[in-house]
Amino acid sequence: MSDIQHNDTPPQTLDVYTKSNIYATAKIAGIAALTSIAGAVIGAIANFVNPKTTPWALKEGFENGGTTNFGTSVFTVLFSLVINGILFYYLYRFSKISKAALENNQNIILETGLFSLATYFRVCAILMIVSAGFIIVAFLAVGLGSAFK
């Protein structure tokens, strides 16, 4: 006998407890997604409205209170918005699709929502690995820099 499921098998239904937990999680995920994208947009607007001055520029004799690294801050803000936009998309998609699937009792659509949540966590894991790599490189650079003094 093979372990492959055929289309003639009846779909499995979820119990009320599982449905209510998934629904509550989807609701919280939607709120978290909206809050995170709102925070990113407000942070970007605040950065463009009131750019930060570099502290070293104040010591270098620049008039007008220093200079701004506008190119660097624009890149950082845009990179942050892109990352937050990707994370928002998958988390909000999970929220909307899962709530609709649970309300209509459609497990196939619920799978799509859960796949969006899995993709969200994959993106988070990739970002954490890349961040850890940058931190390791920074520690190595500081360690090697102090070793050659």
Side-chain angles (χ1 to χ4, degrees), residues 41-145:
V41 169
I42 290 170
I45 291 170
N47 195 355
F48 288 131
V49 169
N50 189 15
K52 298 175 184 169
T53 59
T54 56
W56 57 266
L58 296 173
K59 297 177 186 175
E60 294 291 326
F62 291 102
E63 291 106 28
N64 301 333
T67 62
T68 59
N69 288 335
F70 192 70
T72 305
S73 71
V74 168
F75 173 75
T76 305
V77 168
L78 290 179
F79 183 73
S80 173
L81 284 175
V82 167
I83 295 297
N84 280 310
I86 291 169
L87 292 174
F88 166 77
Y89 172 75
Y90 287 113
L91 193 58
Y92 194 72
R93 187 169 186 244
F94 159 71
S95 174
K96 286 299 176 188
I97 290 174
S98 296
K99 287 194 300 188
L102 289 171
E103 288 169 356
N104 297 324
N105 205 18
Q106 295 186 355
N107 290 342
I108 302 294
I109 297 174
L110 180 61
E111 270 186 42
T112 305
L114 292 174
F115 280 129
S116 291
L117 184 63
T119 304
Y120 170 80
F121 283 120
R122 282 188 196 111
V123 171
C124 287
I126 290 169
L127 290 173
M128 285 181 12
I129 291 169
V130 169
S131 298
F134 281 137
I135 290 171
I136 290 170
V137 168
F139 280 136
L140 288 174
V142 168
L144 290 175

